[in-house]
Amino acid sequence: MMKTDMRRDRPKHLNLLKIHLPVTGVVSIIHRITGVLMILCIPFCAFLLQYSLQNESAFNATLDLFNDLSVRLFFGLALWSVAHHFLAGIRYLLFDVDIGVAKTSARRAAWIVVSGDVVVLATIFWWLI
Amino acid sequence: MRGRSGGVRTWVIQRLSAVYIAVFMVMFLFQLTTQPPIDFQSWHSMMASPLVNIAFICFWIAVISHAWIGMRDVIMDYVHDDGLRFIVLSLLGLFLVFMLVWLVKILITVGF
């Protein structure tokens, strides 16, 4: 179809090293990436939920898993993903009710999300690792 | 090949599920930090208590719905071939339905 062919022939510039994304763009793409990451975590959550509820020894084995550093690292990453997606998501929900939509407010809100991310990262690091 | 992507109804489901997830997570985190289930008995009875059990099932329904809408948007953005996109979306749907049924199964059978 003509329209699809013309769309496919548009020039593309996807050199991520050269593109300067404003903070709002960074928050947005991380929001998307954390979303996808969390979907990949769902089967692990289901398994851990099932296993931990099976019986006492399975429950203890589940807790023991977290003695392993690499498990704690993955869990930390998953927790941080939840936190970022949550914080950035609140920013978007506020946009939906017309709060903070102006460019300056939106940019400030993005920086607030980033600060929240750093606080959460520090908390996770201190608590888990 | 073009299917309907939903519009306002999809947007509403995404936002409502987001709000439920957010509220549940805050309350759950509060519960886990103030009254942590430190052993099997307390964890099991917490998950079996009717209110938590039902709210948690609803949480996963919200998560799976929210995940479907979000991931579908991502796939629509990056997979441009109609046939491939159909296959990928179908696999995503199958995966998410599987996960939801698994999670509901786990929670419904707690304490049996």
Side-chain angles (χ1 to χ4, degrees):
Chain A
M1 277 191 293
M2 257 308 274
K3 224 171 166 193
T4 324
D5 289 342
M6 280 163 65
R7 278 216 306 271
R8 278 212 196 100
D9 290 338
R10 277 190 329 199
K12 278 200 283 223
H13 182 278
L14 294 171
N15 186 342
L16 294 175
L17 299 173
K18 288 210 180 119
I19 296 174
H20 169 73
L21 211 54
V23 63
T24 49
V26 174
V27 166
S28 175
I29 189 61
I30 303 288
H31 185 244
R32 172 167 278 202
I33 292 171
T34 52
V36 176
L37 275 181
M38 286 191 288
I39 292 176
L40 298 175
C41 290
I42 293 176
F44 296 98
C45 291
F47 176 76
L48 288 176
L49 183 66
Q50 178 179 273
Y51 195 56
S52 68
L53 287 168
Q54 229 161 49
N55 54 53
E56 177 140 28
S57 66
F59 175 82
N60 292 328
T62 308
L63 287 188
D64 281 342
L65 267 178
F66 289 87
N67 292 331
D68 195 289
L69 180 64
S70 45
V71 171
R72 289 209 302 276
L73 278 171
F74 271 112
F75 186 62
L77 177 65
L79 272 186
W80 186 87
S81 300
V82 174
H84 173 86
H85 199 89
F86 172 86
L87 292 173
I90 290 180
R91 179 169 170 268
Y92 287 132
L93 287 175
L94 289 173
F95 283 171
D96 287 338
V97 290
D98 285 327
I99 296 175
V101 176
K103 192 171 92 174
T104 42
S105 323
R107 200 167 275 188
R108 197 183 326 131
W111 280 114
I112 293 173
V113 169
V114 170
S115 336
D117 285 344
V118 172
V119 169
V120 170
L121 184 65
T123 310
I124 289 175
F125 202 81
W126 167 78
W127 174 53
L128 270 185
I129 301 161
Chain B
M1 178 190 196
R2 292 280 177 270
R4 292 180 306 161
S5 304
V8 175
R9 186 178 119 162
T10 303
W11 180 85
V12 168
I13 295 174
Q14 193 190 50
R15 267 51 179 182
L16 287 181
S17 60
V19 170
Y20 184 87
I21 292 168
V23 171
F24 182 92
M25 284 200 308
V26 169
M27 293 177 75
F28 198 62
L29 191 65
F30 182 77
Q31 179 74 3
L32 287 182
T33 45
T34 54
Q35 287 177 315
I38 42 156
D39 58 11
F40 175 72
Q41 211 40 54
S42 45
W43 173 241
H44 189 268
S45 54
M46 179 180 168
M47 284 292 124
S49 70
L51 196 57
V52 175
N53 192 276
I54 293 172
F56 207 26
I57 291 176
C58 291
F59 169 79
W60 287 112
I61 294 173
V63 166
I64 296 294
S65 313
H66 191 88
W68 163 256
I69 296 170
M71 197 66 221
R72 193 198 59 171
D73 285 350
V74 174
I75 289 166
M76 288 195 303
D77 278 350
Y78 300 139
V79 184
H80 299 123
D81 180 84
D82 290 344
L84 180 62
R85 191 174 62 242
F86 180 79
I87 292 172
V88 173
L89 283 174
S90 304
L91 290 174
L92 172 70
L94 181 63
F95 169 75
L96 288 176
V97 167
F98 229 79
M99 291 299 109
L100 183 60
V101 174
W102 184 14
L103 285 156
V104 170
K105 176 180 183 291
I106 293 168
L107 287 168
I108 281 187
T109 56
V110 175
F112 276 15

